[in-house]
Amino acid sequence: MAENVKPRVRVPRSAAAGEAFEIKSLISHIMESGRRKDSDGNTIPRSIINTFTCDFNGENVITAELHGAISTNPYFQFEATIEEAGTFTFTWLDDDGSVYTDSKDIALA
Amino acid sequence: MKKITTLCAAISALALSTGFAIAEADAPVLSIDGVVIATRAPAPEYLDIDEVISGWVFRTVETQALQMDDFDNPGMIFVDQALDDWNEVNGSEGKSCASCHTGGPEEFAGLRTVLPRWNEDAGAVWTMEDYINNSLVEHMGAEPWKVGKAQMNAMVALISLQSRGMPMNVAIDGPAAETWALGEEIYFTRVGQLDMACANCHIDNYGVMIRADHLSQGQSNGFPAYRLKNAKLNGIQSRFSGCMKNIRATPYAVGGPEFTALELYVASRGNGLSVEGPSVRN
């Protein structure tokens, strides 16, 4: 079980219809690659965020598949457009089965 | 003086350095969420240089940008973790930091600017780490945290953050004078197999490249610093330790009297620069 995992996202409060705006997301996570060994020489099991998704009102905006070479605290920045007010939901899936979510409301400017 | 500055810039450009010359011309401004950080200030009169410059100025545009937005600053993750520690009950007294410091970490606005400072009761110069451990042990009945380790660095970052934008202003006179003098002596004493003193890099050669590294003035106003090379917060005394290893010297103990003296001296070299904490460096 990864410790100190905390998702955070930044979405503007409002945006004009059809106008691209920036979304930033960051989750604090150790992203243990599964290739390191501890001081006794035993392999430390892989424990990473393997999937990141962002949905808007139930419709998928972006899905990212993460692998062992992604560094600690994965950060995603992307652009989106909206035609109506609604809610962005963000989901991170952990190797250990944990699911971390966050959501942000956005209004139409 | 202007002529010398231009000359220095030219020399540093010759020495395969591009960053510093560019930074001089463009004079980028560090502003974080509306708080403008003084990254250059007139040097205090006891120094032999004209201007003190934050390490931020010496970094690449990309690294500088990471510090200009708290969302992008990876050091802020650790500040969040420290906030959890702040509220967590720890030790035999059943208290958390928040039990006594009811005003929150904001109570400590300005504290970072005057540390390390003379502590009359202890009869010694204390760093922020000393104050934190004193609270943990004396008031909370908890185990002290190891100086230079993750939990301690995060708490120092949280408390330093409250002073962001305020100018460093450590006292070097009065009872702290003796410790300051020891720090100054360490700063100028050549040690190790490479026979180098702090001053050889950070006074004589700041602004030029030392192989792949761009030498700064070695200012401490941005500490604890998130370093891209190790993806965590680094305390100032751990940084001293790393420097000493680089010149193949045996480092003093982190948290010990020599490094505390050096921390006071180095902090005094940055008097006038804003507290940045946590900063982003490479």
Side-chain angles (χ1 to χ4, degrees), chain B residues 210-230:
Chain B
I210 179 167
R211 300 196 63 171
D213 256 339
H214 197 190
L215 281 175
S216 72
Q217 285 188 345
Q219 296 290 357
S220 62
N221 61 309
F223 277 81
Y226 179 89
R227 296 191 69 192
L228 300 171
K229 69 175 267 184
N230 60 14

Side-chain angles (χ1 to χ4, degrees), chain A residues 12-35:
Chain A
R13 274 179 227 285
S14 66
E19 197 167 291
F21 56 88
E22 195 173 67
I23 295 178
K24 291 177 175 181
S25 81
L26 174 71
I27 188 162
S28 46
H29 195 284
I30 183 127
M31 297 293 277
E32 190 60 59
S33 70
R35 297 193 168 273

Side-chain angles (χ1 to χ4, degrees), chain B residues 9-20:
Chain B
I11 290 169
S12 63
L14 275 175
L16 294 183
S17 158
T18 49
F20 192 60

